[in-house]
Amino acid sequence: MTALTRLEVSKLRNLREIRLDLSRQFNLVYGLNGSGKTSILESVNLLATGKSFRSALVDPLVMEGESAATVFAQTIDKKSIGLSRPRKQRHQLRLNGINQSNWDEVARELPVQVLDAGAFQLLEGGPKARRRFMDWGVFHVEPGFVAQWRRVRRCLAQRNRLLKQTRLPESEIAVWDRELCEAAALVHQFRWSYLGQLLPLFQETFSEVFKQSAERLSITYQCGWDENIDLSEQLLRYRPMDVKYGSTQLGPHRADISLKIGSRKAIEVLSRGQQKLLICALKFTQGKLLAESVNRKCTYLVDDLPAELDTNNRRVVVDYLAESGSQVFMTSVESSALDLRAMTTTEIAKFHVERGIIKS
C-alpha cells in the first residue's frame, strides 16, 4: 500500500509552515475559501508529479516575499520524498536523500489521482487532457512506455526544427521520420494494450459502483494517424502542411480518446452531476487497474466533493474510496458539510486550516 504518514509544507502559497500527521485512509482538510486547504492537496500533487493541478505557473506557488517553497513527506514504509521549488532556479527533488533527475521513481512511488473541477477537462477539454489521463495509466502499467514516449518527443523536436528551415534537408528529415515511425508504433502498442485492459474494467466499475448500466458507454481510441496506412507514407504526404505550419501534424502527440453514450459524446448527454460520476469511475478504474497490475494503490486528492453531487452520490463515492483501501485527501468548507463519519467507519484525520495555519 502507498500512503503518506507525514506531510510538511513550507512557504507554498499561503502555507508558511505546517506539519500533518496523516491517516492512512481518510484525511479531511476543512476551512473557509482562501484558507489554504486546497494548497495542501496541491502540495501532495506537486511532490508526486512536479506539477500543480491549479496552474502551470511556478511563481504563484511560492509565498510572496520568499525565494522557494518546500514539501517533504514520509511514506508508510519509511521512505522520504523532498522537493524544493525555487521561484527562479531549477527544482531539487530527493527520494531517500538521493537527488532525482526526473520524476519517474517518485511518480511510481506515489501515484496520485486528482478529482477537482479541472477533472471535467476529460470530457469538455481538448485532446491534451485525455492524452494525459491515458498516459498516466500507461506509464504506471507499461514499464517501457516512458522511454519510447521520450523518444517520440525527441524526434518531434528535431523534425520540427528542420521543418522551419528555409531549405528542407531531405536526408536529415528522412532519418527522423524513420525514428519517429519506430517509436510511434511502440507508443501506440503500449496505449492500445492499456486501453484494452481499462475499458472492460471501467464498464464493470461504473455498473457496480454507481448502479447504472454501462452497456452504451464506450471509449474509442484514435492513435494520431490513419491506422490503415503506414505512418511513414502519411508523413510524406502531409509534409507540405507540416512545412506550412512548422510542426508535425501526425503522430502519437495527436492521439485522443472519445467517451460516448451510444453514438453521442458523453458531455452532450449527461448532466453535470452525471459527468462527475463518470469521471470518478474513470479515475477509480485507473486506480483499480494499477493495484491489479503492480500491487500499488493510488492516493486520491478530492477537492470539493460536494460540488455537483447530491448526498447519495457523495456517499457512493466515499464508500468506494473507503473500500478501495487507498489514502484519500478531501477538502470541505466546514467539517460538518462532508460528514465522513456518517458515510464510512474507516480511520479519519481532520485538519482545520485558517489563513494558512493548522488550528487545533
Side-chain angles (χ1 to χ4, degrees), residues 71-129:
V71 185
F72 174 85
Q74 190 169 63
T75 68
I76 192 173
D77 51 0
K78 305 301 181 183
K79 293 181 180 178
S80 63
I81 309 170
L83 172 66
S84 174
R85 198 69 163 101
R87 193 183 296 279
K88 296 181 179 180
Q89 299 173 339
R90 180 175 170 78
H91 69 265
Q92 185 177 60
L93 176 68
R94 291 187 175 186
L95 177 60
N96 295 328
I98 301 173
N99 287 336
Q100 305 293 302
S101 59
N102 56 50
W103 253 271
D104 290 7
E105 292 303 316
V106 172
R108 289 193 172 93
E109 185 66 37
L110 184 59
V112 165
Q113 287 278 19
V114 179
L115 283 164
D116 70 335
F120 283 99
Q121 290 297 307
L122 266 177
L123 301 179
E124 62 191 19
K128 185 177 181 179

Side-chain angles (χ1 to χ4, degrees), residues 113-123 133 198 201-203 205-207 209-210 212 217 259 270 272-289 298 300-310 313-321 324 328 330:
Q113 287 278 19
V114 179
L115 283 164
D116 70 335
F120 283 99
Q121 290 297 307
L122 266 177
L123 301 179
F133 164 82
L198 185 76
L201 196 59
F202 163 63
Q203 292 175 323
T205 302
F206 191 80
S207 297
V209 177
F210 300 111
Q212 298 182 33
L217 271 173
L259 293 97
L270 303 178
R272 194 72 169 171
Q274 289 172 322
Q275 290 174 36
K276 188 162 187 175
L277 292 180
L278 177 61
I279 292 165
C280 286
L282 285 166
K283 300 272 189 171
F284 293 165
T285 304
Q286 281 199 319
K288 185 184 292 186
L289 184 53
C298 290
Y300 287 96
L301 308 178
V302 187
D303 192 29
D304 195 15
L305 178 65
E308 319 291 350
L309 295 182
D310 59 30
N313 281 322
R314 291 177 210 166
R315 184 183 296 273
V316 168
V317 170
V318 170
D319 282 348
Y320 178 86
L321 290 171
S324 74
V328 181
M330 284 188 174

